[in-house]
Amino acid sequence: MNFTKIATTSFYWYVVAMVGLSFLLLLRLRARVPRNYLAAGFCLVYLVIGNSLYFFGNSHENALIVLSAILLLLFFLLLDLAGHAVAIGQGKPANPFFHRNLAVIVSLVFIASITIWYEKSITAKATIQALNAGKGQFVYPSSIPEQYLMRVIAEVKSVTGDNPKVYFIDDNDFLLGYYGGYAPVGYYTPRGAWISKREFNRFLQGLVDQGYYLIINKSANRSILSPIKFSNYRIVGENYLVVWK
């Protein structure tokens, strides 16, 4: 699949400009800044370029939020490089204080602008967090009722007993495993994170061969079970199928 085309109005084009300017300024100032500064600067530029592959995958603006931390670092590096370049390119400045603290002033203005722009959102979230802290609620409750999860686990245990070898294949696999006290197995959780269906099928067959019970949502059992070899099965509750050897 090809990468999605980046919109002409995307904020990412500013990132391209920052990368280019930072790279050019690092080259220009390479003889005037410490070697560790130069190495850290080039490393940051290369990291931004590498992390941009994540954005190229879907070219959605929300992906830039995920990359925002390293993009902000690059922005402040660019300000510092610009300050070095201005200091070298000018003689005695008309306003020494402003000249000496230009990068700091621009940084503070930038941070203040972000704070003002997102003030309502920041205030609302801070209020919610303060209320939650007052109630001792530091983790948001799951959208799936605990009573439902415990009922499913009880139905599963009517077949598996106290056997710890249980693997859930469901959209709520993590929650079911967590509330049931089952140790996670495999490389990927939730199951939707598996990239290769062939590897996933091989993984499931390996679990069955090791004596695991597979707990499968019945809406997905046809596609999941077709390549799996097992000896026994039982329907539990309204939505689940248990298979084992």
Side-chain angles (χ1 to χ4, degrees):
M1 177 180 287
N2 295 326
F3 289 149
T4 305
K5 183 179 179 180
I6 301 175
T8 55
T9 57
S10 173
F11 181 83
Y12 185 76
W13 298 116
Y14 295 102
V15 177
V16 175
M18 285 198 303
V19 169
L21 285 173
S22 299
F23 188 82
L24 290 175
L25 286 173
L26 283 168
L27 288 178
R28 180 184 176 186
L29 299 170
R30 63 185 182 276
R32 297 177 178 268
V33 296
R35 293 187 63 183
N36 58 350
Y37 181 102
L38 190 67
F42 278 119
C43 180
L44 182 59
V45 170
Y46 297 149
L47 285 174
V48 170
I49 294 172
N51 277 272
S52 294
L53 293 175
Y54 175 80
F55 174 72
F56 296 158
N58 55 22
S59 302
H60 195 285
E61 295 299 287
N62 284 347
L64 293 176
I65 298 176
V66 180
L67 305 177
S68 59
I70 196 167
L71 298 182
L72 285 173
L73 285 175
L74 181 66
F75 175 76
F76 289 118
L77 172 68
L78 179 59
L79 289 181
D80 193 59
L81 289 170
H84 281 291
V86 171
I88 293 171
Q90 292 184 354
K92 185 177 180 180
N95 189 331
F97 175 82
F98 182 80
H99 183 274
R100 185 171 59 252
N101 298 285
L102 177 61
V104 176
I105 293 171
V106 175
S107 299
L108 292 175
V109 170
F110 177 72
I111 294 173
S113 300
I114 293 177
T115 304
I116 294 172
W117 183 267
Y118 292 103
E119 180 270 334
K120 291 183 179 179
S121 177
I122 293 172
T123 302
K125 290 182 179 179
T127 302
I128 293 173
Q129 291 173 349
L131 292 174
N132 288 340
K135 295 185 295 184
Q137 176 181 305
F138 299 102
V139 179
Y140 280 99
S142 169
S143 59
I144 309 299
E146 183 177 348
Q147 294 82 358
Y148 167 78
L149 297 170
M150 297 308 297
R151 185 178 75 247
V152 172
I153 291 168
E155 293 170 348
V156 168
K157 287 191 173 183
S158 67
V159 178
T160 65
D162 292 327
N163 194 321
K165 292 186 174 183
V166 172
Y167 184 80
F168 290 94
I169 305 173
D170 183 72
D171 290 341
N172 302 315
D173 53 0
F174 171 78
L175 291 173
L176 289 167
Y178 176 79
Y179 281 97
Y182 298 108
V185 293
Y187 295 104
Y188 305 104
T189 299
R191 71 174 182 89
W194 282 85
I195 299 174
S196 170
K197 184 176 181 181
R198 179 179 299 176
E199 290 183 6
F200 184 51
N201 292 339
R202 188 182 302 117
F203 168 70
L204 293 180
Q205 187 63 62
L207 290 181
V208 173
D209 294 340
Q210 296 172 42
Y212 272 81
Y213 293 85
L214 302 184
I215 317 301
I216 306 172
N217 192 304
K218 289 193 295 185
S219 63
N221 65 4
R222 180 174 299 179
S223 60
I224 294 293
L225 290 179
S226 55
I228 308 300
K229 297 179 181 179
F230 57 92
S231 304
N232 306 289
Y233 73 93
R234 185 178 300 178
I235 297 174
V236 296
E238 299 177 356
N239 301 313
Y240 291 91
L241 180 70
V242 182
V243 303
W244 72 98
K245 269 196 172 182

